[in-house]
Amino acid sequence: MSARRHHTLRAVALATAVVALAAGCSSANSNRDKSGSGATGVLNIGKPDGPQTNNSNPFLATSAGATLGYRFMIYEPLAMVSQIRPTAKADPWLASDWKWELNFTKVTFTLNDKAKWADGKPVTADDVAFTFNLLKKHPALNADGIAWGGVEVQGKKVVLTFDDSQYVNQNKIIQQFIVPKHIWEGVKNPEVWPNRTPVGSGPYKLKTFTPQTTTLTATPTYWKGTTKVKELRYSTYNDNSAATTALASGKLEWSFVFMPNYKQLFISKDPKNHKLWFPSGLGIHGLWFNTARKPFDNPALRKAMAMVVDRNAIYTQAEATLYPEITNPTGIPLPAGESFIAPEYKSATTKPDVEGAKEVLEKAGFTLSGGVLKDPGGKPVKLTFTDPAGWNDYITGLAIIKDNIKKIGIEAKVKTQTADAWTADVANGNFDATLHWTNSGATPYDMYQNIMDGALLQPIGKPSQLGNFGRFKSAEATEALKDFASATTGTARTEAMNALQKIMVEQAPMIPTAAAPIGAEYSTKNWVGWPTEADPYADPQHTQRSALEVVLKLKPSK
């Protein structure tokens, strides 16, 4: 699952984050919502995504339903998966059971016969088969890029077969949301269909839509029973400042907004009720090197730079302690990835080691003289960091890294771009080094595959859309990724994962700087029952599938 969604808030909202946020909340308490949403059954949700177009196509990542997150209140998955607890068993949902066989090349779903569509018709195996065939027939709807194989209905069961092991994709497959065949089979162009009166099996249906506010109302006949939250109001704000002001005033009760000073801007406005929780899954942010450019093709240089980066400074200063700190040099976020860490890195830390980095460079033929590092050919090592202007946490992170690498004689400058120009340059390999995110998934495979897979490798100048933006060429890494994906035993998978970690640490194709959070700010003034660190029953972010679990668990505070 791509971490790109985390950057909806980044591209639209971070442009004004630091300055505007500080100014935007000075009188936030003065217009506190006193109506008591819990008492009226209304939950107010929102994000800084700007005006939306009326589009509720759940398959399109750009639709309002996806951007605001309400698609998962209408359309339900076969099973509910947690990204913050990737090794936990999924919760049965539209499927009461599922079974993988033949080294993850076959899965059989047994449907819950209680499930119904909002129009009263039963959810059947034909609906499930239709949905998977829709993904198979229309690649534009197949966001996870699954290579779908056979789809067969056997009574109340649906059997999927694949040519290759789907071990690394199993969570993506079992959490697929299902659409009703009796509605979608009449759609000629599902890739562009706006689906303005969506019908799903979930507890809510679309009531009204405007570019600023979308309202969903509870379905009284929901097959899992009645809901305490009778109405969901999704508001969209033009920037972080406006969304933070709404959060601070209590007008907004659930959001995902980056705040440089959340204690002052949000918590202090109502310390009793204003809460946030930003746990990580298995995706990260980091400094990607263009390994096709000299001297960044030298693994010793990259490793030395990785050894001096101060992750704690990035955590506290750039990420405002919201994005979880990376504490292991493998880049695997903790605690989500604890079970995957190789024995040799269990006690490893990311504490800066300047002297150790100097030794690595000296052994590789680099020389440090007069505060200037020279490569084995005698050229001073210089580089340019690039990221979009206004992405303040990234720009602050680059400034920290710039200071860190100066300690080993590397001169860096920071260049900002428009988001569009930067996106094109990253895809084409037109950069020295840049902060960027990775994919995430049920295991660290998705993260490492995004960074290191030779199958994604493109020459400089040819866009790399799917990953390996750093043009990292390693037959060993590509083979280890293949081995992990196709392994038939846990032992073989562990060996492959350990090999990937060693490559990450020793060759540093990118420097992990922060974990990608699946976080949320929320208020307990009107609603209680939110996921917390003590009770992590679901991902707290409202744009994730398990947001449905959160809404179903909420109850009025009084």
Side-chain angles (χ1 to χ4, degrees), residues 406-420:
K406 196 164 181 113
K407 293 174 183 174
I408 51 173
I410 300 172
E411 191 68 41
K413 62 180 180 180
V414 177
K415 182 182 89 172
T416 60
Q417 301 175 272
T418 65
D420 287 346

Side-chain angles (χ1 to χ4, degrees), residues 447-460:
M447 173 182 90
Y448 286 146
Q449 191 249 357
N450 199 219
I451 300 167
M452 300 193 262
D453 195 354
L456 306 178
L457 188 63
Q458 298 290 354
I460 293 285

